[in-house]
Amino acid sequence: MTGRALHLFAVMVFLMFFTLIGACQGIGPFAVGTPDASEAVSSEGEDAAGVPQTFVTVKMIMPGDESARMREFADNELNERLKKELNLKLELTYIPWSDYQSKLELALSTGEEYDLFWYGTPFVSDYKTKGYIQPLDMLLHKYGRDLTANIPADNFKLDQIDGKLWAIPSQAFTSAGKFTSVMVRQDLLESVGMKAIRTISDLETFYDKMYAVDPSYYGYLETDRGQDVLWRELSDQPLTFLDENQMFAVNENTGELVNYLESDLYKKVAHVRQRWVGMGLIDKNLVGNPAANIDQENAGKLLFRVGAVSRAMENLQTAQNADAAARLREYYLSPDKPKYIAAPSNEAYMIPAKARHPERAMRLMNWILQSKEHYNFIIYGIEGKDYRIENGKIKLLTNDQLMYEWMWRNKKYFMAPANVDDSVVQDMMHNDDNAQISRIFGFHFDQEPVKKEYAKLLAVYNEKFVPINIGIVSYEKQYDSAIAALKKSGYDKVWAELQQQYAAFRASQPSPAGQEE
């Protein structure tokens, strides 16, 4: 062997050795977690173009109602392309929003063979604990190069538990203060001589003025959440909810946990809600009926609801289907107070533990973010038929939604709809300016040590506290018996476990810049 040949051989051996070590340790630009040997990923045979040789059907669960165009698109253009490029057929099962959680969990708990589903980030930890989902590190490492190239690495930390990744945080967009703003019908606000919302009093004045003009409008429909919308005005400390059920929070200034249900702030919020019921701003006939709430919003009869940074854009088409003049905008109460990024993405795609084709599910998600052309295709459809681009904006040519755009919204590919005011787009794009990272960023409460107590207290909470939250039951009359029942169910044990886990998490985190301990 010549000296040159010997040198080349040595270089090749070194590169092969480095590649093998990197593959074993998860090193590389697309590594997020450290793949575990227990996560077996089968090797799929591929042709020269990298397309799997075996044709499969990927079954996916989605919330909402399937539009006529989505069915036509999936059956024809979409699946024709997925057959060619991924050798798969996508089979979509839609579950109405009002039944989504119950029917999804029934499918997961009974082991029905679905390969992919969407839900909010707060459910990842719960579904991991219940064994509904599988870890994704190996799958992402092997098939998700474009996902990790287009979704910030910090976003993935949100869905990492016990050193493993359990979901794909599909949205990569602005997110500070998510679910702490209020979305209003801006056209109706202006019609009664108002320009903006800054206070609780502004919301009540808006309702009173609209009711005097047309009593068929409903004030506030989304009564199951939104307490933290009011916190911005009612609390002298910046707080962020720790759990989806709104029982615990963190003080962003001190980093300490807050037992919200036993705080004076809870009493203040309950009194506002009780006042809203008395005013008619919260309608008793719609409380606890999500389907009726959605119907009223679809009919254009909603004055305001909880915002979500970009909900004014997302819901505009629905509002304009009912009223062509409708305009939406989001506001923060006490707008000069800081905003916090608790979760960079509330959207999580998970692969069930019983999935038959997890590799193809990951390939499909990766394919969506492989290019702007793929992204536009699966979200908007066929250019010239379903949409066209006008001055850098998306002009929809059909009222039927395809894939929900908000589930995959990505800063690199995003284009605003043509009918959205530039001011709304500016609100979204600059929402995170000067925002701070929340103290709970990346924290997950593992319910396993107290799962029996947690299940009991949730049952009590839903029975005793939700009516107080909504305002249909008096705080003064019912609070003492409600908190006593909650304590009896194991609330203090859950609170102690939560504090212990959070203390361990906090000890492992660097002190946030600009925040005092």
Side-chain angles (χ1 to χ4, degrees):
M1 183 177 291
T2 67
R4 176 179 173 80
L6 184 63
H7 174 73
L8 289 173
F9 178 76
V11 171
M12 290 174 64
V13 169
F14 173 77
L15 289 175
M16 289 175 64
F17 177 77
F18 181 82
T19 301
L20 286 171
I21 294 297
C24 292
Q25 295 182 350
I27 297 171
F30 51 90
V32 175
T34 301
D36 192 301
S38 64
E39 297 174 47
V41 176
S42 61
S43 262
E44 294 190 299
E46 299 176 347
D47 63 18
V51 178
Q53 294 178 339
T54 305
F55 179 74
V56 303
T57 296
V58 170
K59 297 182 178 181
M60 179 176 171
I61 303 176
M62 289 284 283
D65 298 308
E66 185 177 45
S67 68
R69 175 56 184 147
M70 185 56 189
R71 167 50 51 201
E72 179 189 24
F73 176 66
D75 287 346
N76 296 285
E77 297 100 334
L78 178 58
N79 271 325
E80 286 173 10
R81 184 161 182 181
L82 293 179
K83 170 68 169 66
K84 180 181 178 181
E85 299 185 25
L86 296 176
N87 204 16
L88 66 82
K89 174 185 177 183
L90 181 61
E91 184 177 292
L92 295 164
T93 297
Y94 280 82
I95 299 175
W97 281 104
S98 56
D99 300 323
Y100 189 68
Q101 182 176 351
S102 60
K103 291 189 176 180
L104 170 65
E105 293 187 8
L106 178 63
L108 295 172
S109 63
T110 55
E112 291 188 44
E113 292 181 342
Y114 288 99
D115 300 297
L116 189 63
F117 69 93
W118 165 90
Y119 215 174
T121 298
F123 292 90
V124 175
S125 179
D126 185 33
Y127 289 176
K128 178 260 184 187
T129 299
K130 292 177 178 177
Y132 291 164
I133 57 179
Q134 60 179 275
L136 305 180
D137 300 272
M138 287 290 287
L139 290 167
L140 182 66
H141 183 83
K142 190 167 185 178
Y143 302 115
R145 183 182 294 269
D146 296 293
L147 290 172
T148 52
N150 291 290
I151 298 173
D154 278 348
N155 291 28
F156 287 94
K157 294 177 183 177
L158 192 68
D159 298 314
Q160 287 179 324
I161 307 172
D162 298 336
K164 293 183 179 181
L165 181 72
W166 297 90
I168 299 299
S170 56
Q171 190 182 92
F173 204 67
T174 55
S175 61
K178 197 164 190 176
F179 304 125
T180 67
S181 61
V182 58
M183 183 191 77
V184 306
R185 274 287 299 272
Q186 183 69 20
D187 58 304
L188 298 178
L189 185 72
E190 293 175 7
S191 75
V192 293
M194 300 178 69
K195 293 183 178 180
I197 296 292
R198 287 178 169 268
T199 66
I200 294 170
S201 178
D202 287 342
L203 289 172
E204 294 174 351
T205 300
F206 177 34
Y207 171 74
D208 283 339
K209 288 188 173 185
M210 275 304 304
Y211 186 83
V213 173
D214 185 344
S216 70
Y217 285 95
Y218 292 88
Y220 180 61
L221 302 181
E222 196 174 27
T223 47
D224 59 334
R225 68 180 310 156
Q227 297 177 67
D228 42 346
V229 171
L230 304 177
W231 288 1
R232 293 186 60 85
E233 179 176 334
L234 296 178
S235 175
D236 61 354
Q237 295 292 315
L239 304 180
T240 299
F241 262 130
L242 199 71
D243 61 319
E244 183 72 9
N245 295 294
Q246 303 188 326
M247 292 185 285
F248 310 109
V250 66
N251 184 319
E252 297 288 5
N253 280 345
T254 66
E256 298 299 322
L257 289 185
V258 174
N259 189 335
Y260 172 57
L261 295 183
E262 294 190 273
S263 71
D264 187 57
L265 177 60
Y266 180 71
K267 182 178 181 179
K268 292 179 181 179
V269 171
H271 284 165
V272 170
R273 291 290 187 82
Q274 192 173 336
R275 183 168 75 242
W276 284 5
V277 170
M279 295 172 58
L281 196 152
I282 291 177
D283 192 301
K284 288 184 178 181
N285 297 319
L286 295 177
V287 167
N289 190 340
N293 290 346
I294 292 171
D295 287 344
Q296 292 300 331
E297 183 174 5
N298 291 343
K301 292 299 181 179
L302 171 69
L303 294 184
F304 66 90
R305 66 173 295 185
V306 174
V309 179
S310 48
R311 187 164 274 168
M313 178 186 72
E314 297 163 1
N315 290 30
L316 183 60
Q317 183 177 343
T318 298
Q320 290 186 341
N321 287 344
D323 183 346
R327 288 184 291 121
L328 305 174
R329 193 156 189 183
E330 295 193 37
Y331 296 97
Y332 291 93
L333 304 185
S334 302
D336 294 332
K337 290 183 178 180
K339 291 182 296 222
Y340 294 86
I341 300 174
S345 171
N346 195 55
E347 320 312 330
Y349 275 87
M350 291 166 263
I351 296 179
K354 302 291 186 181
R356 293 188 63 188
H357 306 294
E359 296 91 349
R360 297 300 179 86
M362 185 62 72
R363 284 180 185 261
L364 173 62
M365 290 189 286
N366 187 73
W367 182 89
I368 293 172
L369 292 187
Q370 210 164 54
S371 69
K372 187 171 184 176
E373 191 274 328
H374 285 189
Y375 177 88
N376 285 347
F377 178 75
I378 200 164
I379 291 172
Y380 300 116
I382 306 300
E383 187 171 3
K385 179 177 181 178
D386 297 301
Y387 77 95
R388 64 173 177 261
I389 298 175
E390 296 180 351
N391 300 318
K393 290 186 174 182
I394 292 285
K395 171 68 175 178
L396 300 177
L397 304 178
T398 173
N399 287 329
D400 283 2
Q401 285 191 317
L402 303 187
M403 182 72 72
Y404 291 120
E405 181 269 343
W406 49 266
M407 286 186 179
W408 286 96
R409 185 173 302 135
N410 192 287
K411 268 192 170 182
K412 293 185 179 181
Y413 299 147
F414 173 74
M415 286 189 290
N419 61 336
V420 175
D421 290 348
D422 288 341
S423 61
V424 173
V425 177
Q426 289 298 308
D427 286 349
M428 290 190 302
M429 303 309 290
H430 293 283
N431 179 72
D432 288 7
D433 291 357
N434 303 314
Q436 299 179 36
I437 300 297
S438 171
R439 301 275 190 164
I440 62 167
F441 188 101
F443 174 71
H444 298 276
F445 177 42
D446 181 4
Q447 301 165 13
E448 184 64 28
V450 288
K451 63 181 180 182
K452 291 182 180 179
E453 291 83 2
Y454 196 80
K456 290 178 182 178
L457 76 86
L458 277 185
V460 172
Y461 176 81
N462 289 328
E463 178 188 353
K464 303 287 188 180
F465 277 89
V466 169
I468 300 175
N469 299 348
I470 293 170
I472 59 175
V473 167
S474 166
Y475 175 92
E476 277 69 24
K477 291 181 180 179
Q478 300 297 328
Y479 178 78
D480 288 344
S481 61
I483 198 68
L486 202 68
K487 297 276 188 177
K488 188 177 180 180
S489 72
Y491 183 68
D492 288 337
K493 186 175 180 180
V494 172
W495 171 238
E497 177 64 28
L498 175 62
Q499 287 179 303
Q500 180 179 329
Q501 291 186 26
Y502 177 71
F505 166 79
R506 190 178 172 196
S508 70
Q509 303 298 305
S511 179
Q515 291 181 334
E516 297 180 1
E517 293 298 329

